[in-house]
Amino acid sequence: ALRARRPRRLLAAARALLFWALVYGYCGLCACIAGLRLLWSIGRRPGETFRRAVRENPPACLNDPSLGTHCYVRIKDSGLRFHYVAAGERGKPLMLLLHGFPEFWYSWRHQLREFKSEYRVVALDLRGYGETDAPSHKENYKLDCLITDIKDILESLGYNKCVLIGHDWGGMIAWLVAICYPEMVTKLIVVNFPHPSVFTEYILRHPSQLIKSAYYFFFQMPWFPEFMFTVNDFKVLKSLFTSQATGIGRKGCRLTAEDIEAYLYVFSQPGALTGPINHYRNIFSCLPLQHHEVIMPTLLLWGERDAFMEVDMAEITRIYVKNHFRLTILSEASHWLQQDQPDIVNKLIWTFLKEETTRKRE
């Protein structure tokens, strides 16, 4: 028996060694590429490379009353204060919205206006983002902490269940909350993020997705990723939403100059990038999952022009949902789907919610 165990232990140790060699090797490669880009920028426009505009006051769109009311809730156990924007009457069913990276509550502006007629819609700033408290140590951003945040917020708002919607990294958290606390999620809606188990398995088998997820590895480095975002007055942040490669396309609902300024204002505040990037600095020690199945009705929406996530992962996700599963892929849409195609996304969400209500009545 002991002889049989030794090869297994050696094999497990070898796999772990190869895994972490891949993580840190790819991290080093991404850092080298980022360093070369920085040197190129300094060589071409040294004056502009380190220039940053001072942004002391938020743009008016962040205080638009039609979007809802700015609120705060302090969680007893963690002591953290969370910021959120709420629309719709208290007492209505809760719809909880979890944003991605690099976003904040404002990415749900179209949904705050749309669903407040029938729901208490809450768009959260996740731990470390925007006006929500940002713990300084990266260990405070482990997936367990992020999942517990959602459970605690739900209870602090006076609810025991909700319609949970997540985009990108917020989609990752939404999947995990649905897996760990299924009694709290009546319906799950995820935008442009596959089931976490699909993601971890797919990325190791498909080099093309590994390349698209390079930022996961780059973010393992301390301070340098944050610095690269600030170069050329946050040029990387702007290009994510506006460039031809990664941004919202011509047929989409493009961000206005004020929308862009809202993002720049939030992420240009001192230390505003460290919390969001810390979310990624624990990812490789938290996956793969021990539990996989999702048991509530689930809608997965996907923009086919997503520059960061391959669409094949969307269909594979079906095998982990042990209930009604609907997948809708929008051919002309980008990664920023709920901002890119808000009318279509809102209509699809309404259809899904009413369809499930009708099924239950039957």
Side-chain angles (χ1 to χ4, degrees), residues 203-216:
I203 196 173
L204 292 173
R205 296 176 182 176
H206 296 80
S208 55
Q209 182 58 54
L210 193 67
I211 293 169
K212 290 180 179 180
S213 300
Y215 61 98
Y216 277 70

Side-chain angles (χ1 to χ4, degrees), residues 249-270:
R250 293 179 182 178
K251 295 183 180 180
C253 181
R254 291 193 169 185
L255 272 62
T256 66
E258 190 176 36
D259 292 336
I260 295 293
E261 194 56 36
Y263 280 91
L264 295 176
Y265 169 77
V266 167
F267 288 104
S268 65
Q269 301 308 303

Side-chain angles (χ1 to χ4, degrees), residues 236 239-248 305 307-308 334-336:
V236 170
S239 67
L240 283 173
F241 296 105
T242 61
S243 72
Q244 188 174 355
T246 63
I248 296 171
R305 289 184 57 253
F308 308 102
S334 69
H335 177 75
W336 321 103

Side-chain angles (χ1 to χ4, degrees), residues 107-220:
S107 69
W108 297 108
R109 58 196 176 281
H110 302 292
Q111 288 68 43
L112 281 162
R113 292 191 182 102
E114 178 70 20
F115 295 101
K116 65 183 179 182
S117 60
E118 293 189 24
Y119 289 88
R120 174 70 168 173
V121 188
V122 170
L124 189 66
D125 273 344
L126 296 174
R127 177 185 291 227
Y129 282 83
E131 295 183 54
T132 291
D133 286 348
S136 56
H137 299 293
K138 73 174 186 178
E139 288 75 18
N140 292 318
Y141 295 86
K142 289 183 177 180
L143 288 176
D144 287 347
C145 298
L146 306 180
I147 297 165
T148 303
D149 283 345
I150 307 307
K151 171 182 172 290
D152 291 343
I153 287 164
L154 199 68
E155 293 172 346
S156 297
L157 294 175
Y159 288 86
N160 57 21
K161 59 185 178 180
C162 70
V163 173
L164 186 60
I165 307 182
H167 168 248
D168 183 67
W169 184 259
M172 161 80 89
I173 298 172
W175 282 115
L176 296 175
V177 171
I179 292 167
C180 296
Y181 300 105
E183 71 282 0
M184 289 190 158
V185 183
T186 57
K187 302 171 184 76
L188 176 65
I189 301 169
V190 179
V191 184
N192 279 79
F193 201 94
H195 186 285
S197 293
V198 174
F199 181 66
T200 53
E201 292 166 8
Y202 190 92
I203 196 173
L204 292 173
R205 296 176 182 176
H206 296 80
S208 55
Q209 182 58 54
L210 193 67
I211 293 169
K212 290 180 179 180
S213 300
Y215 61 98
Y216 277 70
F217 297 85
F218 180 49
F219 287 172
Q220 302 311 304

